[in-house]
Amino acid sequence: MRFVGIICWKLFTSMLALSGLTFGGGFVIIPLMRRRFAQELGWLSEEEILDMAALARAAPGAVTVNVAVQVGARMAGAPGALCGVLGTILPPLAALSGLSLCYEALSASPAVAAALYGLRLAVAVVVADAAWAMAAEGLRGGDWLRRAVMGAAFLL
């Protein structure tokens, strides 16, 4: 039971940090989750994270929450899934609660509008990096059919 508690705590704090320090949604956080859970912690393989991300995109709900549930369930069962979800949703919930309190003052601010406009570029770069990483992983060792499907999907 102690081992599950350690995994749950590490999962919760990892997701809390990733969710609290990223801007742009699931397509931004998935490469960071891949780095954390596959490369740094070694809990999952790169392919498993990509499979989880694909399944998360197909399932209803937020992509990040869906991946957090899958990682948590794989590592520690239901308690892990709950810790992953809580770590994922608490930072945006806190931020939105705080922003809603001062919405009137912030909504007309040119500085806030300029900052959000500037963040669009950062989000675009991170999404492009995620797409590049997933394409590179998908093409590695793939047969001609996989490459043809990926090429057709890209063109569409």
Side-chain angles (χ1 to χ4, degrees), residues 82-132:
L82 180 63
C83 290
V85 168
L86 288 176
T88 303
I89 66 170
L90 285 177
L93 183 65
L96 288 174
S97 297
L99 287 174
S100 69
L101 295 174
C102 52
Y103 174 75
E104 289 296 322
L106 293 176
S107 64
S109 170
V112 171
L116 290 174
Y117 185 78
L119 283 172
R120 289 181 190 172
L121 176 62
V123 169
V125 168
V126 173
V127 169
D129 178 60
W132 180 260

Side-chain angles (χ1 to χ4, degrees), residues 15 22 28-29 35 59 61 77 81 86 94 105 109 113 124 127 131 140-141 150 156:
M15 289 310 303
T22 56
V28 174
I29 200 170
R35 182 181 307 137
L86 288 176
S109 170
V127 169
R140 189 176 308 138
M150 285 185 65
L156 290 173

